[in-house]
Amino acid sequence: MTRKTRRLWLVIACVACLGTAAALILRAFSSDIVFFVTPSQVVASPPPKDRTVKLGGMVVAGSVHRERKGETPVATFNVTDGQAAVTVHYEGILPDLFREGQSVVAIGTVQPPHDFAATEVLAKHDETYMPKEVAEALKKAGKWDPRFGPPPSAESWNQMTVQDARKNTATQPATN
Amino acid sequence: MSASPTFVARTGNFFHRYANPGQFLKLGARLQPWLTWPAILLTLTGLGWGLFFSPADWQQGDSVRIMYVHVPAAILASAGYAGLAICGLLSLVWRHPLADLAAVEIGPVGASITALCLATGSLWGKPMWGTWWVWDARLTSVLVLFFLYLGHIALIRAFDDPQRGYKAAAILALAGAVDLPIIKFSVQWWNTLHQPDSITLTGAPTMSSSMLWPLALSALGMGLGFAAIVVARTRAAVMESRIRALLSSPRRRGNAA
Amino acid sequence: MTHLPYIAASYGLFAIMALVFSIGAALRLKRDRIRLATLEQKAPRKAGAAPQS
């Protein structure tokens, strides 16, 4: 039985060592594990012009301008993290989920001081899942505007059924 | 330390009494229908509900229905590896023969469900994010989990003496378990393209209950299905080892006599 | 519903995987049960003994 106990302690010690090692490695590399940098980081210390960075943030409401350069659509929009904003220029088709207020990750290079030339734009959706009708009802009730931020606390809507939402939108004709 | 030998001895007795291979065959045969049929029923209900009756998401539209396959697959990928790690512990400390047989059988099932998680994630990411794959912390740590499964599958079958394979694979399973908390917390510790968890222990789920119900049913159903397949495969493995024992010792002795 | 192919592919992959694993496990159990039964008929005194791996 002592041999079994010794084996148990040996296993526990090995797992503990390994866990500590992994934690230390991850801590050391955590800046590289980060998938994107924020606009305030870019503004505070702009990376070199030739280095590809991933810029993550929210598309500022009212800042999106879409044009066409020949066949390719060109979009210009501001990306913010609440503290600083960077103007992103992108030639190409934006993802379906792209909209004002959406979180996006733009991959490209920084053009100091506040511009960013993107070669690729990814939409980052949040962890909120709600039916279209519920979102409509929240918008109609004036509780949420998706262009300006995340939805209200989940308790206030996660029990709302599609039927409830339809009823709410029907009884409150366009308040905004 | 003084109390631990009795603890280890007692737990050892417990495992040997309730999980020796002969006992397991009886228990497994009785348990099997209670896993299989609810699994089929709940999975079909959950996925049918998710595919046809749950509402479309306000921003993702119908693509959100991929969630009802992807999320249970992701949960099971981690849970399966946790099972592998527990088998590894039982094998290394208590030398439990059933734990080794179960580890051999969990590996391929777990690897496949991890592959399903990665594939459905890709199929979800392309229309929503605009990319099949990114090297963010969540996606990469799940890919690491997939390779850990593959390593385990290869290692446990790599030796002529199965005992050595069992030991090496058990060590790999325990060491690889470090990846599980990394997967779980990757979306909180680092910025990722992958969104954070909608269902947490601390707050209300940021998911409409009309989507949460089908998700819960399919997760429960697929979980039971995973267990049913692992139990069935382990029962088969116990029978096979018994067949090998019968073929090798008494017959040969009988032929020689 | 432009994303239908992605949804169909996800559910299809799951269905294929579930079928392959469950049918595989069922066939393996059936085969082993038959083989074990015939072997134990030939050597009844060893029946019920714990397997030695």
Side-chain angles (χ1 to χ4, degrees):
Chain A
M1 282 308 135
T2 45
R3 265 176 54 200
K4 279 183 185 168
T5 317
R6 207 171 58 224
R7 286 202 299 260
L8 180 63
W9 282 108
L10 207 68
V11 169
I12 290 173
C14 288
V15 170
C17 290
L18 208 89
T20 318
L24 287 175
I25 291 169
L26 290 172
R27 238 184 93 86
F29 289 105
S30 63
S31 60
D32 294 324
I33 293 167
V34 165
F35 184 66
F36 55 82
V37 293
T38 57
S40 44
Q41 282 171 308
V42 165
V43 170
S45 55
K49 268 185 89 169
D50 52 344
R51 201 168 120 212
T52 304
V53 293
K54 301 188 194 80
L55 174 78
M58 210 177 87
V59 179
V60 177
S63 73
V64 183
H65 297 285
R66 294 170 196 255
E67 291 158 27
R68 298 196 79 84
K69 200 165 79 184
E71 279 297 290
T72 48
V74 180
T76 311
F77 51 91
N78 292 352
V79 167
T80 181
D81 59 349
Q83 278 137 39
V86 170
T87 306
V88 175
H89 306 270
Y90 174 64
E91 280 183 30
I93 298 157
L94 290 163
D96 289 1
L97 284 191
F98 184 90
R99 58 175 176 81
E100 295 176 348
Q102 179 70 277
S103 293
V104 294
V105 175
I107 303 165
T109 51
V110 179
Q111 316 286 317
H114 295 298
D115 284 71
F116 190 90
T119 53
E120 200 178 348
V121 174
L122 306 176
K124 172 177 160 54
H125 65 77
D126 59 8
E127 69 275 29
T128 306
Y129 297 91
M130 65 168 86
K132 268 188 192 98
E133 291 83 354
V134 173
E136 278 313 311
L138 288 177
K139 280 186 238 172
K140 280 266 164 67
K143 284 184 186 152
W144 177 39
D145 188 336
R147 289 176 301 162
F148 295 107
S153 75
E155 291 97 335
S156 67
W157 54 263
N158 67 11
Q159 298 294 323
M160 194 194 285
T161 63
V162 172
Q163 284 77 16
D164 293 342
R166 285 213 181 105
K167 229 181 288 162
N168 286 358
T169 24
T171 51
Q172 293 175 341
T175 46
N176 47 344
Chain B
M1 271 304 258
S2 61
S4 49
T6 47
F7 167 74
V8 173
R10 245 193 263 142
T11 44
N13 283 343
F14 174 81
F15 291 132
H16 281 283
R17 181 139 165 244
Y18 290 99
N20 83 55
Q23 205 76 359
F24 174 79
L25 276 188
K26 275 188 213 143
L27 187 73
R30 279 184 59 189
L31 200 63
Q32 192 74 65
W34 293 97
L35 292 172
T36 309
W37 296 111
I40 294 171
L41 196 71
L42 287 174
T43 309
L44 287 180
T45 315
L47 290 185
W49 188 349
L51 194 53
F52 299 111
F53 301 109
S54 73
D57 184 62
W58 74 282
Q59 60 174 342
Q60 302 191 36
D62 285 310
S63 300
V64 78
R65 299 179 202 286
I66 296 174
M67 173 179 75
Y68 305 114
V69 181
H70 175 74
V71 171
I75 295 171
L76 287 174
S78 284
Y81 200 87
L84 220 50
I86 291 170
C87 286
L89 186 70
L90 290 177
S91 164
L92 282 181
V93 177
W94 288 279
R95 295 282 144 83
H96 204 289
L98 194 62
D100 292 323
L101 291 180
V104 175
E105 300 306 329
I106 291 173
V109 190
S112 305
I113 203 95
T114 312
L116 181 73
C117 169
L118 290 167
T120 52
S122 237
L123 287 165
W124 197 3
K126 183 60 187 167
M128 292 299 102
W129 295 341
T131 181
W132 297 103
W133 180 263
V134 290
W135 292 100
D136 86 347
R138 171 57 75 85
L139 278 68
T140 309
S141 56
V142 175
L143 186 66
V144 168
L145 184 74
F146 179 62
F147 284 114
L148 284 171
Y149 269 119
L150 292 188
H152 187 274
I153 291 170
L155 199 56
I156 208 162
R157 291 163 174 79
F159 295 91
D160 289 334
D161 172 16
Q163 291 303 329
R164 288 181 63 192
Y166 294 154
K167 194 170 179 184
I171 293 168
L172 176 71
L174 276 171
V178 173
D179 194 32
L180 295 180
I182 296 177
I183 291 174
K184 167 78 182 127
F185 295 109
S186 55
V187 287
Q188 294 168 29
W189 289 343
W190 304 289
N191 336 329
T192 51
L193 187 62
H194 194 286
Q195 70 280 8
D197 299 338
S198 299
I199 302 147
T200 54
L201 288 176
T202 47
T206 59
M207 181 185 291
S208 166
S209 55
S210 54
M211 299 169 173
L212 198 56
W213 275 107
L215 179 62
L217 286 188
S218 54
L220 193 62
M222 283 168 71
L224 287 172
F226 188 93
I229 286 170
V230 168
V231 166
R233 288 171 65 108
T234 311
R235 283 169 62 205
V238 171
M239 287 188 203
E240 280 156 21
S241 79
R242 190 172 277 188
I243 289 167
R244 271 195 303 276
L246 283 173
L247 279 180
S248 57
S249 50
R251 241 258 211 96
R252 211 177 286 157
R253 225 176 285 146
N255 286 352
Chain C
M1 203 149 145
T2 50
H3 299 143
L4 185 64
Y6 298 95
I7 303 168
S10 299
Y11 281 74
L13 277 178
F14 169 71
I16 291 168
M17 223 189 79
L19 281 178
V20 166
F21 272 100
S22 39
I23 293 173
L27 290 180
R28 193 175 149 195
L29 262 180
K30 198 176 163 192
R31 188 198 64 195
D32 288 347
R33 205 180 289 130
I34 293 169
R35 278 178 65 192
L36 194 60
T38 44
L39 275 175
E40 277 178 347
Q41 267 181 349
K42 282 184 200 161
R45 68 212 152 76
K46 283 294 278 185
Q52 303 298 314
S53 47

